[in-house]
Amino acid sequence: MFTEFWRRHKKKVYVTFGVISSGFLLYKLYDGHRRRISELEKELEADKKTDELIRAQMKEHFESIQMVAYSTTLPHVMRHLSDQIAEQLDLMQLTEKLMKGKDQPNTLTATEKLELWDRLKILSFTRMVLSLWSMTTLNLYIRVQVNILGRHLYIDTARGLESTYPREEADLIYKDEQKLFLSTADYLANYGLTTLVSKFEAATSEVIKGKQLKDVFSSTVLQDTIMQILDNFMSMGSPQHWLGYLIPEDPKMYSLAAASPHSEITDTFCPSNFEQLMRETRAVISSAEFGNIVETSLKAGVDEMVKNISAQCGEANLMAGLPLAKLLPRLAHLSQLLLDEEPNNNNNNRYIQVIQNLPDVELFFTLLYSTTPVS
């Protein structure tokens, strides 16, 4: 009977068994797939939380560096640079001699007065344009530093600060690197300024040597004169000759000098990391894109200076023009304003603010932060 039943229904049994087996297999496959999907979702959620934590930590680190750079480094650099420029381009002695000659007519000959006025004319323009160039390039240089450090901090945080050092020691090393790296903003005032002054003085003399004290300067003439001086300076030597005044050519020698027994750098300092930061900085500031940003920023600074002087003189007066002799004291005052930057001051340097708010500058630093290479 069983044989007869099997003969009649074996195909149905096979089909039923096959369907049940296939269904079970499909269920197992589906259940396995569902489990894998669930695990992937959990992994993605965990990665998302990790990424959010990394971004929060990076933001905290980056904002900390920005605060140090803008509230401490930049004001210190500007004050130090202002003091050095005032010392090397001292207008007070010339002014005092001219005032004495005015009060005591017999103390100076006509030729001596003319020579003093000519010297004052050159130094006033030199000091003003040098201050503008220095303020602009240092502001941009420090922003490059902040973005490079921020990018490094993001990568290190994402990697969990993988290091052979304990976490506390790694933090100490990185702080030493940051301190020395940010301190290179003083390189211009400490090492490059003397030569830079002579270069700007030569560029200025070439432009205004034929200008007389009685010559009338309108806002357009003043703007054109400043741009000519800047163009003269920027065209001296190689296209990137000015980098030598802004950044040390050999970061290794600079780091060794900074890590001397008399410095504040600790024994844990690793110069190779500092040198990497400096190589990246030099690559950025020697790029054509950075050169374009410098040019754009200088033009914006010149426009703002002319507006400032117009406001002081009365816009109508400067449009009509002022004699050069009456303009010189205003240029000397403007030189101080250009390098005036105090921390925690609601009236921060208007020229720095103008440059920082330029759309091209904002775009440049947005792209820099997102693409800075880290080896």
Side-chain angles (χ1 to χ4, degrees), residues 9-32:
H9 299 288
K10 66 178 180 179
K11 290 184 178 180
K12 295 179 180 179
V13 172
Y14 284 142
V15 170
T16 301
F17 181 78
V19 170
I20 293 173
S21 299
S22 299
F24 180 76
L25 178 61
L26 288 173
Y27 171 77
K28 295 295 290 183
L29 289 173
Y30 169 76
D31 186 61

Side-chain angles (χ1 to χ4, degrees), residues 219-260:
S219 55
T220 302
V221 172
L222 177 60
Q223 188 168 18
D224 290 344
T225 301
I226 297 171
M227 290 305 304
Q228 286 178 37
I229 295 171
L230 287 170
D231 290 343
N232 271 10
F233 167 74
M234 296 298 280
S235 64
M236 288 180 173
S238 63
Q240 296 180 338
H241 69 94
W242 51 272
L243 292 179
Y245 309 116
L246 191 62
I247 186 172
E249 185 173 352
D250 188 348
K252 184 175 182 179
M253 295 301 296
Y254 187 90
S255 66
L256 290 174
S260 67

